[in-house]
Amino acid sequence: MKISRGFIIALLILFALLVLVEVKIPKKFSWEDKSFSSTDPDPYGSQLVDSLLMHSTHGRYKVKPGELQEAYADSLDLNKTFVFVDSYSFAGPGEGMEKEADMFLSILDRGQNIVFFSSWSPSDSVLNELGLFWDYYNIPFNDIKPGYEETVHWVRDSVYKGAAFIFKTNTSEVNFIKHDDDVIAPKTRNYRVIMRDQNNKVIGMSMDYGKGKLVFVTYENVFYNYTLLQPGGAILLMRILSQAGNRPIVRYDPTISDEYIEEHERSQSPLRVFLENRSLRWAVYLALIAIVLSLIFTARRRQRVIPVVEEPKNQTLAMVKHIGLMHYRHHDNASIVRDYYKQMTHELLRKALIDVNDDNLIDENITLLVSRTAMKAEDIKDNIIKLQNIQTDTDIVLSDQETKRLIDFINNVLKEF
Protein backbone atom coordinates (compact mmCIF):
# COMPACT_ATOMS: atom_id res chain seq x y z
CA MET A 1 0.00 0.00 0.00
CA LYS A 2 2.90 2.38 0.75
CA ILE A 3 4.37 1.71 -2.71
CA SER A 4 1.04 2.52 -4.39
CA ARG A 5 0.66 5.75 -2.44
CA GLY A 6 4.20 6.86 -3.32
CA PHE A 7 3.67 6.01 -6.97
CA ILE A 8 0.46 8.06 -7.13
CA ILE A 9 2.09 11.05 -5.40
CA ALA A 10 5.02 10.93 -7.82
CA LEU A 11 2.63 10.71 -10.76
CA LEU A 12 0.65 13.72 -9.54
CA ILE A 13 3.84 15.75 -9.16
CA LEU A 14 4.89 14.76 -12.68
CA PHE A 15 1.47 15.71 -14.01
CA ALA A 16 1.68 19.13 -12.32
CA LEU A 17 5.11 19.72 -13.83
CA LEU A 18 3.82 18.81 -17.31
CA VAL A 19 0.95 21.27 -16.96
CA LEU A 20 3.31 23.99 -15.73
CA VAL A 21 5.70 23.44 -18.61
CA GLU A 22 2.86 23.43 -21.12
CA VAL A 23 1.52 26.71 -19.76
CA LYS A 24 4.94 28.37 -19.83
CA ILE A 25 5.80 27.28 -23.37
CA PRO A 26 5.16 30.24 -25.72
CA LYS A 27 2.55 29.59 -28.37
CA LYS A 28 3.39 29.87 -32.06
CA PHE A 29 1.48 32.69 -33.70
CA SER A 30 1.41 33.91 -37.26
CA TRP A 31 2.17 37.63 -37.65
CA GLU A 32 1.57 37.66 -41.37
CA ASP A 33 -1.92 36.28 -41.99
CA LYS A 34 -4.48 38.98 -41.26
CA SER A 35 -8.10 38.09 -40.74
CA PHE A 36 -11.00 39.06 -38.53
CA SER A 37 -12.23 35.53 -38.12
CA SER A 38 -13.79 34.67 -34.77
CA THR A 39 -11.89 31.36 -34.92
CA ASP A 40 -8.43 32.87 -35.47
CA PRO A 41 -6.29 33.06 -32.27
CA ASP A 42 -3.40 34.79 -34.06
CA PRO A 43 -2.58 38.44 -33.24
CA TYR A 44 -4.46 39.62 -36.35
CA GLY A 45 -7.49 37.42 -35.73
CA SER A 46 -10.58 38.15 -33.60
CA GLN A 47 -11.10 35.05 -31.47
CA LEU A 48 -10.09 36.81 -28.25
CA VAL A 49 -12.21 39.86 -29.09
CA ASP A 50 -15.36 37.81 -29.66
CA SER A 51 -14.71 35.74 -26.54
CA LEU A 52 -14.35 38.87 -24.42
CA LEU A 53 -17.56 40.38 -25.78
CA MET A 54 -19.52 37.15 -25.24
CA HIS A 55 -18.50 36.90 -21.59
CA SER A 56 -18.73 40.61 -20.74
CA THR A 57 -22.26 41.00 -22.16
CA HIS A 58 -23.65 37.88 -20.42
CA GLY A 59 -25.07 36.22 -23.52
CA ARG A 60 -26.16 39.42 -25.33
CA TYR A 61 -23.40 39.06 -27.93
CA LYS A 62 -23.16 36.21 -30.43
CA VAL A 63 -21.42 35.43 -33.69
CA LYS A 64 -23.38 34.11 -36.68
CA PRO A 65 -22.16 32.90 -40.07
CA GLY A 66 -22.93 35.08 -43.06
CA GLU A 67 -22.82 38.75 -43.91
CA LEU A 68 -25.17 41.42 -45.20
CA GLN A 69 -27.77 39.11 -46.76
CA GLU A 70 -28.19 37.17 -43.50
CA ALA A 71 -28.43 40.42 -41.53
CA TYR A 72 -31.12 41.68 -43.88
CA ALA A 73 -33.13 38.48 -43.31
CA ASP A 74 -32.73 38.84 -39.54
CA SER A 75 -33.59 42.55 -39.48
CA LEU A 76 -37.31 41.79 -39.13
CA ASP A 77 -36.73 40.63 -35.54
CA LEU A 78 -36.73 42.87 -32.46
CA ASN A 79 -34.28 45.74 -32.14
CA LYS A 80 -30.69 44.53 -32.40
CA THR A 81 -27.23 45.81 -33.21
CA PHE A 82 -25.52 44.22 -36.23
CA VAL A 83 -21.71 44.28 -36.38
CA PHE A 84 -19.72 43.94 -39.61
CA VAL A 85 -15.92 43.78 -39.54
CA ASP A 86 -13.74 44.23 -42.66
CA SER A 87 -16.83 43.87 -44.82
CA TYR A 88 -16.68 44.57 -48.54
CA SER A 89 -19.90 42.85 -49.61
CA PHE A 90 -21.30 46.13 -50.96
CA ALA A 91 -18.08 48.04 -51.62
CA GLY A 92 -17.51 49.46 -55.07
CA PRO A 93 -19.83 49.94 -58.08
CA GLY A 94 -22.04 47.43 -59.84
CA GLU A 95 -25.68 46.35 -60.01
CA GLY A 96 -25.22 43.61 -57.41
CA MET A 97 -23.49 45.97 -55.05
CA GLU A 98 -26.28 48.52 -55.44
CA LYS A 99 -28.80 45.88 -54.42
CA GLU A 100 -26.81 45.06 -51.33
CA ALA A 101 -26.44 48.75 -50.58
CA ASP A 102 -30.23 48.99 -50.58
CA MET A 103 -30.30 46.11 -48.09
CA PHE A 104 -27.85 47.99 -45.90
CA LEU A 105 -30.02 51.11 -45.81
CA SER A 106 -33.20 49.05 -45.39
CA ILE A 107 -31.79 47.46 -42.23
CA LEU A 108 -31.38 50.94 -40.75
CA ASP A 109 -34.84 51.99 -41.90
CA ARG A 110 -36.33 49.02 -40.03
CA GLY A 111 -34.91 50.31 -36.75
CA GLN A 112 -31.84 48.11 -36.41
CA ASN A 113 -28.45 49.55 -35.49
CA ILE A 114 -25.25 48.83 -37.44
CA VAL A 115 -21.65 49.09 -36.28
CA PHE A 116 -19.39 48.99 -39.33
CA PHE A 117 -15.65 48.33 -38.79
CA SER A 118 -14.02 48.45 -42.20
CA SER A 119 -11.45 50.31 -44.26
CA TRP A 120 -13.38 49.34 -47.38
CA SER A 121 -15.38 52.23 -48.79
CA PRO A 122 -19.12 51.52 -49.17
CA SER A 123 -20.78 51.97 -52.54
CA ASP A 124 -21.38 55.45 -53.89
CA SER A 125 -25.13 55.14 -53.40
CA VAL A 126 -24.64 54.57 -49.67
CA LEU A 127 -22.17 57.46 -49.36
CA ASN A 128 -24.43 59.81 -51.31
CA GLU A 129 -27.42 58.85 -49.21
CA LEU A 130 -25.45 59.46 -46.02
CA GLY A 131 -23.75 62.62 -47.31
CA LEU A 132 -20.25 61.26 -46.71
CA PHE A 133 -16.95 61.04 -48.59
CA TRP A 134 -14.38 58.27 -48.16
CA ASP A 135 -10.70 59.10 -48.56
CA TYR A 136 -7.28 57.80 -47.51
CA TYR A 137 -3.65 58.78 -47.21
CA ASN A 138 -0.44 56.77 -47.02
CA ILE A 139 2.08 56.96 -44.23
CA PRO A 140 5.65 57.42 -45.58
CA PHE A 141 7.33 54.06 -45.97
CA ASN A 142 10.37 55.13 -43.91
CA ASP A 143 8.10 55.82 -40.92
CA ILE A 144 6.72 52.26 -40.87
CA LYS A 145 9.21 50.53 -38.59
CA PRO A 146 8.86 47.79 -35.96
CA GLY A 147 7.06 49.26 -32.99
CA TYR A 148 5.42 52.06 -34.99
CA GLU A 149 2.66 53.65 -32.91
CA GLU A 150 -0.60 55.17 -34.05
CA THR A 151 -2.71 57.50 -31.91
CA VAL A 152 -6.51 57.33 -31.83
CA HIS A 153 -8.35 60.25 -30.20
CA TRP A 154 -11.77 59.73 -28.67
CA VAL A 155 -13.90 62.86 -29.02
CA ARG A 156 -15.54 63.90 -25.77
CA ASP A 157 -19.29 63.33 -25.50
CA SER A 158 -21.96 63.37 -22.80
CA VAL A 159 -20.89 59.96 -21.49
CA TYR A 160 -17.13 59.61 -22.01
CA LYS A 161 -14.32 62.11 -21.57
CA GLY A 162 -11.92 62.76 -24.39
CA ALA A 163 -8.97 60.36 -24.41
CA ALA A 164 -5.99 59.38 -26.53
CA PHE A 165 -5.22 55.71 -27.20
CA ILE A 166 -1.81 54.70 -28.55
CA PHE A 167 -1.50 51.38 -30.37
CA LYS A 168 1.39 49.62 -32.07
CA THR A 169 0.61 48.94 -35.70
CA ASN A 170 2.18 48.30 -39.09
CA THR A 171 -0.55 49.87 -41.24
CA SER A 172 0.70 52.04 -44.07
CA GLU A 173 -2.69 53.22 -45.35
CA VAL A 174 -5.12 55.24 -43.23
CA ASN A 175 -8.74 55.60 -44.32
CA PHE A 176 -10.89 58.43 -43.06
CA ILE A 177 -14.34 59.93 -43.52
CA LYS A 178 -15.16 63.41 -44.78
CA HIS A 179 -18.56 65.03 -44.36
CA ASP A 180 -20.13 68.24 -45.56
CA ASP A 181 -23.11 69.87 -43.84
CA ASP A 182 -24.25 71.37 -47.13
CA VAL A 183 -24.73 68.06 -48.90
CA ILE A 184 -25.49 65.71 -46.00
CA ALA A 185 -28.75 63.86 -46.56
CA PRO A 186 -31.90 64.91 -44.66
CA LYS A 187 -32.18 61.48 -43.04
CA THR A 188 -28.70 61.78 -41.54
CA ARG A 189 -28.66 65.32 -40.24
CA ASN A 190 -28.06 64.04 -36.73
CA TYR A 191 -24.43 62.88 -36.85
CA ARG A 192 -21.50 63.08 -34.46
CA VAL A 193 -17.75 62.50 -34.81
CA ILE A 194 -16.53 60.00 -32.21
CA MET A 195 -12.92 59.27 -33.28
CA ARG A 196 -10.04 61.08 -34.96
CA ASP A 197 -6.54 59.95 -35.85
CA GLN A 198 -3.25 61.64 -35.05
CA ASN A 199 -3.65 63.91 -38.08
CA ASN A 200 -7.12 65.03 -36.91
CA LYS A 201 -8.83 62.99 -39.64
CA VAL A 202 -12.27 61.55 -38.87
CA ILE A 203 -12.00 57.77 -38.48
CA GLY A 204 -15.19 57.19 -36.49
CA MET A 205 -18.68 58.65 -36.77
CA SER A 206 -22.18 57.84 -35.50
CA MET A 207 -25.37 59.04 -37.16
CA ASP A 208 -29.09 58.42 -37.14
CA TYR A 209 -30.70 57.06 -40.27
CA GLY A 210 -34.37 56.21 -40.49
CA LYS A 211 -35.33 54.44 -37.26
CA GLY A 212 -31.85 53.07 -36.63
CA LYS A 213 -28.34 54.26 -35.91
CA LEU A 214 -25.17 53.75 -37.92
CA VAL A 215 -21.65 53.75 -36.45
CA PHE A 216 -18.82 53.96 -39.02
CA VAL A 217 -15.27 53.13 -37.88
CA THR A 218 -12.47 53.00 -40.44
CA TYR A 219 -9.90 52.01 -37.80
CA GLU A 220 -10.69 48.32 -38.04
CA ASN A 221 -7.53 47.36 -36.14
CA VAL A 222 -9.50 47.78 -32.93
CA PHE A 223 -11.04 44.36 -33.66
CA TYR A 224 -7.64 42.59 -33.70
CA ASN A 225 -6.60 40.33 -30.82
CA TYR A 226 -3.28 42.19 -30.78
CA THR A 227 -4.93 45.60 -30.35
CA LEU A 228 -7.27 44.31 -27.65
CA LEU A 229 -4.31 43.21 -25.51
CA GLN A 230 -2.66 46.62 -25.72
CA PRO A 231 -3.42 49.24 -23.05
CA GLY A 232 -6.75 50.86 -23.81
CA GLY A 233 -7.75 48.40 -26.55
CA ALA A 234 -10.70 46.90 -24.69
CA ILE A 235 -11.82 50.34 -23.45
CA LEU A 236 -11.91 51.79 -26.97
CA LEU A 237 -13.81 48.76 -28.32
CA MET A 238 -16.45 49.02 -25.57
CA ARG A 239 -16.86 52.74 -26.18
CA ILE A 240 -17.49 52.18 -29.89
CA LEU A 241 -20.08 49.43 -29.31
CA SER A 242 -21.84 51.53 -26.65
CA GLN A 243 -22.71 54.10 -29.34
CA ALA A 244 -25.33 51.68 -30.69
CA GLY A 245 -27.20 51.57 -27.37
CA ASN A 246 -28.12 48.75 -25.01
CA ARG A 247 -29.29 46.11 -27.47
CA PRO A 248 -28.38 42.48 -28.18
CA ILE A 249 -25.39 42.40 -30.52
CA VAL A 250 -25.01 40.04 -33.49
CA ARG A 251 -21.73 39.90 -35.37
CA TYR A 252 -21.75 38.35 -38.84
CA ASP A 253 -18.60 36.42 -39.77
CA PRO A 254 -18.48 34.99 -43.32
CA THR A 255 -15.47 32.80 -42.46
CA ILE A 256 -17.42 30.37 -40.27
CA SER A 257 -20.34 28.00 -40.78
CA ASP A 258 -23.26 26.71 -38.75
CA GLU A 259 -21.50 23.35 -38.40
CA TYR A 260 -18.47 25.02 -36.84
CA ILE A 261 -20.59 26.91 -34.31
CA GLU A 262 -22.33 23.69 -33.24
CA GLU A 263 -19.00 21.89 -32.91
CA HIS A 264 -17.50 24.81 -31.01
CA GLU A 265 -20.37 24.82 -28.51
CA ARG A 266 -20.03 21.07 -27.97
CA SER A 267 -16.27 21.32 -27.42
CA GLN A 268 -16.34 23.87 -24.59
CA SER A 269 -15.51 21.32 -21.88
CA PRO A 270 -12.39 21.61 -19.67
CA LEU A 271 -11.24 18.12 -20.70
CA ARG A 272 -11.19 19.15 -24.38
CA VAL A 273 -8.35 21.58 -23.57
CA PHE A 274 -6.23 18.65 -22.34
CA LEU A 275 -7.18 16.34 -25.21
CA GLU A 276 -6.30 18.89 -27.89
CA ASN A 277 -2.70 19.16 -26.64
CA ARG A 278 -0.41 16.17 -27.08
CA SER A 279 1.54 16.57 -23.82
CA LEU A 280 -1.52 17.19 -21.68
CA ARG A 281 -3.38 14.37 -23.43
CA TRP A 282 -0.69 11.83 -22.49
CA ALA A 283 -0.63 13.18 -18.95
CA VAL A 284 -4.35 12.39 -18.69
CA TYR A 285 -3.78 8.92 -20.17
CA LEU A 286 -0.99 8.16 -17.64
CA ALA A 287 -3.14 9.35 -14.76
CA LEU A 288 -6.02 7.07 -15.82
CA ILE A 289 -3.67 4.10 -16.25
CA ALA A 290 -2.17 4.72 -12.80
CA ILE A 291 -5.64 4.82 -11.23
CA VAL A 292 -6.62 1.53 -12.89
CA LEU A 293 -3.39 -0.18 -11.76
CA SER A 294 -3.87 1.11 -8.23
CA LEU A 295 -7.39 -0.32 -8.13
CA ILE A 296 -6.18 -3.69 -9.41
CA PHE A 297 -3.33 -4.07 -6.89
CA THR A 298 -5.31 -2.88 -3.89
CA ALA A 299 -8.56 -4.74 -4.64
CA ARG A 300 -7.18 -8.00 -3.15
CA ARG A 301 -6.21 -6.40 0.15
CA ARG A 302 -7.77 -8.41 2.99
CA GLN A 303 -10.46 -6.78 5.04
CA ARG A 304 -11.06 -7.57 8.72
CA VAL A 305 -14.48 -8.86 9.69
CA ILE A 306 -16.80 -6.01 10.58
CA PRO A 307 -18.80 -6.98 13.70
CA VAL A 308 -22.55 -6.74 13.62
CA VAL A 309 -23.66 -3.76 15.68
CA GLU A 310 -26.96 -4.39 17.40
CA GLU A 311 -29.47 -1.61 17.67
CA PRO A 312 -29.45 -0.17 21.21
CA LYS A 313 -32.51 -1.09 23.25
CA ASN A 314 -34.93 1.50 24.52
CA GLN A 315 -34.51 1.56 28.32
CA THR A 316 -36.93 4.44 28.94
CA LEU A 317 -39.81 2.21 30.04
CA ALA A 318 -37.55 0.21 32.37
CA MET A 319 -36.30 3.44 33.95
CA VAL A 320 -39.87 4.67 34.52
CA LYS A 321 -40.83 1.37 36.11
CA HIS A 322 -37.73 1.49 38.33
CA ILE A 323 -38.48 5.02 39.55
CA GLY A 324 -42.13 4.13 40.16
CA LEU A 325 -41.12 1.05 42.14
CA MET A 326 -38.78 3.12 44.34
CA HIS A 327 -41.54 5.65 45.12
CA TYR A 328 -43.98 2.82 45.87
CA ARG A 329 -41.62 1.09 48.26
CA HIS A 330 -40.62 4.23 50.18
CA HIS A 331 -44.12 5.79 49.91
CA ASP A 332 -42.62 9.28 50.11
CA ASN A 333 -45.47 11.41 48.74
CA ALA A 334 -43.68 14.67 49.55
CA SER A 335 -40.71 13.69 47.36
CA ILE A 336 -43.05 13.02 44.42
CA VAL A 337 -44.72 16.40 44.84
CA ARG A 338 -41.34 18.15 45.09
CA ASP A 339 -40.25 16.57 41.77
CA TYR A 340 -43.48 17.57 40.06
CA TYR A 341 -43.22 21.10 41.41
CA LYS A 342 -39.65 21.46 40.11
CA GLN A 343 -40.84 20.31 36.71
CA MET A 344 -43.70 22.85 36.78
CA THR A 345 -41.44 25.77 37.72
CA HIS A 346 -38.96 24.82 35.02
CA GLU A 347 -41.63 24.58 32.30
CA LEU A 348 -43.30 27.86 33.30
CA LEU A 349 -39.98 29.68 33.30
CA ARG A 350 -38.93 28.19 29.95
CA LYS A 351 -42.21 28.59 28.06
CA ALA A 352 -43.84 31.67 29.63
CA LEU A 353 -41.01 33.35 31.64
CA ILE A 354 -43.09 32.96 34.82
CA ASP A 355 -41.06 32.49 38.01
CA VAL A 356 -43.56 31.32 40.63
CA ASN A 357 -40.81 31.28 43.29
CA ASP A 358 -40.34 35.06 43.02
CA ASP A 359 -42.33 36.51 45.94
CA ASN A 360 -42.10 40.04 44.53
CA LEU A 361 -44.03 39.02 41.41
CA ILE A 362 -46.46 36.58 43.04
CA ASP A 363 -49.54 38.69 42.28
CA GLU A 364 -48.55 39.29 38.65
CA ASN A 365 -47.73 35.62 38.14
CA ILE A 366 -51.02 34.51 39.65
CA THR A 367 -52.87 36.89 37.31
CA LEU A 368 -51.13 35.33 34.32
CA LEU A 369 -51.93 31.82 35.52
CA VAL A 370 -55.58 32.75 36.05
CA SER A 371 -55.83 34.09 32.49
CA ARG A 372 -54.37 30.90 31.05
CA THR A 373 -55.93 28.20 33.29
CA ALA A 374 -59.35 29.72 34.12
CA MET A 375 -58.76 28.70 37.75
CA LYS A 376 -59.55 30.89 40.73
CA ALA A 377 -56.81 33.17 41.96
CA GLU A 378 -57.30 32.08 45.59
CA ASP A 379 -56.92 28.39 44.68
CA ILE A 380 -53.79 29.06 42.64
CA LYS A 381 -52.21 31.14 45.39
CA ASP A 382 -53.05 28.61 48.12
CA ASN A 383 -51.67 25.71 46.10
CA ILE A 384 -48.45 27.53 45.21
CA ILE A 385 -47.86 28.50 48.84
CA LYS A 386 -48.56 24.90 49.87
CA LEU A 387 -46.08 23.62 47.25
CA GLN A 388 -43.42 26.11 48.35
CA ASN A 389 -43.81 24.97 51.96
CA ILE A 390 -43.39 21.35 50.89
CA GLN A 391 -40.14 22.36 49.14
CA THR A 392 -38.68 23.88 52.30
CA ASP A 393 -40.10 21.47 54.91
CA THR A 394 -38.27 18.17 54.61
CA ASP A 395 -40.23 16.54 57.45
CA ILE A 396 -43.70 17.07 56.07
CA VAL A 397 -45.89 14.03 55.46
CA LEU A 398 -48.63 14.09 52.79
CA SER A 399 -51.60 11.84 52.49
CA ASP A 400 -52.45 10.10 49.24
CA GLN A 401 -55.50 12.33 48.69
CA GLU A 402 -53.48 15.52 49.22
CA THR A 403 -50.73 14.25 46.97
CA LYS A 404 -53.20 13.45 44.21
CA ARG A 405 -54.83 16.90 44.52
CA LEU A 406 -51.53 18.75 44.25
CA ILE A 407 -50.38 16.64 41.29
CA ASP A 408 -53.71 17.29 39.51
CA PHE A 409 -53.21 21.02 40.10
CA ILE A 410 -49.73 20.87 38.58
CA ASN A 411 -50.98 18.88 35.59
CA ASN A 412 -53.77 21.40 34.98
CA VAL A 413 -51.27 24.25 34.97
CA LEU A 414 -48.82 22.51 32.67
CA LYS A 415 -51.61 21.48 30.31
CA GLU A 416 -52.22 25.14 29.39
CA PHE A 417 -48.58 25.78 28.54
Side-chain angles (χ1 to χ4, degrees), residues 337-338 341 379-393 396-399 402-403 405-406 409:
V337 173
R338 291 189 190 98
Y341 180 70
D379 294 341
I380 294 176
K381 186 174 183 180
D382 293 341
N383 287 324
I384 289 178
I385 293 174
K386 178 68 175 178
L387 290 169
Q388 290 176 347
N389 293 333
I390 295 174
Q391 289 292 109
T392 57
D393 189 358
I396 192 171
V397 178
L398 296 177
S399 63
E402 182 68 10
T403 301
R405 186 185 68 79
L406 292 174
F409 166 74

Side-chain angles (χ1 to χ4, degrees), residues 46-60:
S46 299
Q47 186 183 62
L48 181 60
V49 177
D50 289 321
S51 177
L52 172 67
L53 292 175
M54 287 179 185
H55 288 84
S56 60
T57 56
H58 305 288
R60 294 171 59 84

Side-chain angles (χ1 to χ4, degrees), residues 270-315:
L271 187 59
R272 182 58 64 102
V273 177
F274 290 88
L275 297 180
E276 288 179 351
N277 185 279
R278 183 174 180 274
S279 301
L280 296 178
R281 181 169 65 249
W282 275 103
V284 173
Y285 293 161
L286 289 175
L288 294 176
I289 293 172
I291 292 173
V292 173
L293 291 177
S294 177
L295 293 175
I296 293 174
F297 286 109
T298 58
R300 299 182 60 184
R301 183 169 63 89
R302 293 184 178 181
Q303 299 285 342
R304 65 180 181 86
V305 178
I306 300 176
V308 178
V309 179
E310 296 183 358
E311 183 180 358
K313 296 181 180 180
N314 190 353
Q315 301 293 339

Side-chain angles (χ1 to χ4, degrees), residues 17-29 277 279:
L17 290 175
L18 287 174
V19 173
L20 183 61
V21 170
E22 188 64 28
V23 171
K24 293 296 183 180
I25 292 177
K27 303 296 186 295
K28 294 181 180 179
F29 288 122
N277 185 279
S279 301

